[in-house]
Every structure is written in C-alpha cells, then in structure tokens.
Amino acid sequence: MNSIITSIIVEDQECSSNYLKSVLNDAFPEIRVLTIETSISGALSAIETYRPDLIFLDIYLSDGVSFEVIERTSYTDFEIIFTTAHDTFYQKAFEYCAFNYILKPITAEKLSPIIEKFKKVLPPATINKKKKLLHAFLDKENPRIIINLGDENLFVPIKDIVACKAEGSYCSIVFSNKKHLTSKPLKYYEELLEGRQFFKANRSTLVNIAHITRIHKRETLILSNNESIKVSVRNRNMLSDLINLHI
C-alpha cells in the first residue's frame, strides 16, 4: 500500500464530518480525505471518481441506509470503517462480517488501532464476501448466522435454532432433529443473538422463545424438539416476566 491512504467521508451531519476530517488531519496525516459526501448517490459517485482505499461510512444518510452503497457500488477494492452511534445489533453485524466500526463520538484514540490494522491489509480486501455475510445477518425477513464446522460454513436461519447449549468451552447449536458442535463458546452466541428473542434459561442453555411449546410449573421449558430445559432459580423472575408479557 502507498504511504498515502486515500479516503472519503460519507456523513450527512456537517459537524460530524468536519470533526472527523479534523481528527484525521491532526492525528493521521497519512490519510488524505478526498471528499465529504452526505448521501448514497454522492457516495456512489465519489467511489467511482476517486476509487479510495478507505471509506468512513455513517449508517443513516439523507437518502437512505448506507448499506445500499455496499450493494450498489461496482468498484470494491476498498475497506470500510463504519462510524455509528447506533446499538449493539449493528456492532455485532459489523464484527461478525469482519467490517471495522467505531462508535461516536470519534476520537484519535479510538481510531488508532483500527487505522493500524488497516495499514497491515495488503492489498485492501474486497467487500464482496463481506457483503453477502452482512446481508444474511441483516435480512429482516429471514436473518441467518454462520456456523463454522471446520471444513465448511453453514448459513443457518435463526428461526430454525431451537437452543444453544454449552459443551465445555464449545457450544452445540440445537435444531429440531440434529445439532452441530461449534468451536465458539456459548457467550459468543449469546452476544450475537442478543435482541433476537432468545432466553437464557440457565448458565449453559440459551433457548429460542419461538420454540418453547410449554412451560411446566414456571421452572421447566418444553421445547419443540420435546427436550426439557430447567430454568435456573435466578432466571425464573425473567421467565415470569416473559410469561406475563405473552398472556
């Protein structure tokens, strides 16, 4: 990679874009900001014109959600740093797909490790594979996650997961008639599936609420695969709240 890193900023808040440019100019003189755009259409035009190494991309723009930039651009030899003030769902999506992101307010301290990581990427990774993963995760109609099985990766609809169960330092993903052992711990899936209607029944089991068919004495869950899961004493209040919510 050349010593100069070319970049564009895509941000519809003028104060935010000017501040980011100021931080980059002061702390990272090797990064040259070629233009600041405020819209999807402007970003697409700038990408084709400048073919930057790096894009600082806000999520919500004046004419839509910035993922459309990723979907529509024909030039893909660049990396993206999402600049976001939004919730952990998006953070997990970016992390899961190996995108970089930074939470606002942006500081040189937050940017430094990300920029250093970017400098080590030779050449800049294309985003085509990441784009597929991101859209799979963000698909509102049928969101999916990837389960790595060593020799292969499975794209799994979240709605098909009955439960996630700790197996020592590993985790089994349980379906109606099968299960897959993954090398990730339960905590990884607990964080990944946060906000996806999963209930932590006990220390070792995360249950998909959609697959709970019965609740026995407010302490045992009967799942769609006929498995019984005990709810820990400390989590029974949360279970009661869940029951009351659906009564």
Side-chain angles (χ1 to χ4, degrees):
M1 182 180 296
N2 296 329
S3 57
I4 296 297
I5 299 170
T6 58
S7 71
I8 65 175
I9 295 172
V10 184
E11 164 68 68
D12 64 352
Q13 299 294 320
E14 184 177 1
C15 58
S16 295
S17 59
N18 288 340
Y19 178 73
L20 174 56
K21 184 177 181 180
S22 175
V23 170
L24 292 172
N25 288 341
D26 292 344
F28 307 97
E30 69 274 27
I31 298 180
R32 180 179 297 165
V33 178
L34 302 176
T35 185
I36 296 175
E37 301 296 334
T38 61
S39 64
I40 292 170
S41 57
L44 289 169
S45 177
I47 290 170
E48 292 301 321
T49 299
Y50 296 107
R51 305 209 162 194
D53 300 316
L54 182 61
I55 299 176
F56 295 91
L57 186 61
D58 191 18
I59 293 176
Y60 292 108
L61 301 173
S62 58
D63 56 348
V65 180
S66 64
F67 300 132
E68 190 174 341
V69 173
I70 305 170
E71 182 64 31
R72 290 171 55 188
T73 181
S74 57
Y75 179 76
T76 59
D77 286 334
F78 57 83
E79 272 289 1
I80 292 174
I81 296 176
F82 283 98
T83 58
T84 175
H86 295 279
D87 63 19
T88 54
F89 169 73
Y90 287 107
Q91 294 178 41
K92 289 181 177 64
F94 306 149
E95 183 176 355
Y96 189 68
C97 301
F99 281 89
N100 289 306
Y101 67 90
I102 185 169
L103 284 176
K104 297 176 181 178
I106 296 171
T107 64
E109 289 74 21
K110 288 181 180 178
L111 272 174
S112 184
I114 296 174
I115 298 300
E116 288 305 311
K117 178 182 177 182
F118 172 78
K119 290 178 182 178
K120 296 176 182 177
V121 179
L122 293 171
T126 62
I127 63 171
N128 290 329
K129 291 182 179 179
K130 297 177 184 179
K131 181 166 65 176
K132 292 179 182 178
L133 298 179
L134 182 63
H135 279 279
F137 191 89
L138 295 177
D139 183 352
K140 293 181 179 179
E141 297 300 321
N142 188 25
R144 292 168 287 169
I145 63 172
I146 289 181
I147 298 176
N148 182 277
L149 300 180
D151 293 335
E152 63 177 337
N153 292 311
L154 298 181
F155 276 75
V156 176
I158 292 175
K159 65 180 178 62
D160 292 346
I161 298 173
V162 176
C164 302
K165 303 181 72 174
E167 305 276 357
S169 59
Y170 300 108
C171 180
S172 286
I173 309 299
V174 181
F175 300 90
S176 295
N177 56 3
K178 61 184 177 182
K179 68 178 182 178
H180 293 294
L181 182 66
T182 75
S183 60
K184 300 287 188 182
L186 178 64
K187 183 174 176 59
Y188 172 84
Y189 290 101
E190 185 178 355
E191 293 178 351
L192 184 65
L193 295 168
E194 183 179 354
R196 292 290 190 174
Q197 299 299 305
F198 278 74
F199 171 67
K200 186 73 174 293
N202 53 56
R203 289 179 59 187
S204 62
T205 310
L206 188 67
V207 172
N208 187 340
I209 293 172
H211 285 272
I212 299 174
T213 59
R214 300 193 307 280
I215 301 175
H216 182 64
K217 294 184 178 180
R218 298 194 176 224
E219 63 181 38
T220 303
L221 307 177
I222 312 301
L223 305 183
S224 60
N225 61 352
N226 293 320
E227 185 175 0
S228 298
I229 302 294
K230 283 286 188 182
V231 179
S232 65
V233 173
R234 66 182 300 178
N235 289 349
R236 286 177 190 171
N237 285 338
M238 287 187 288
L239 178 61
S240 294
D241 292 341
L242 179 65
I243 294 171
N244 293 334
L245 185 65
H246 289 82
I247 289 178

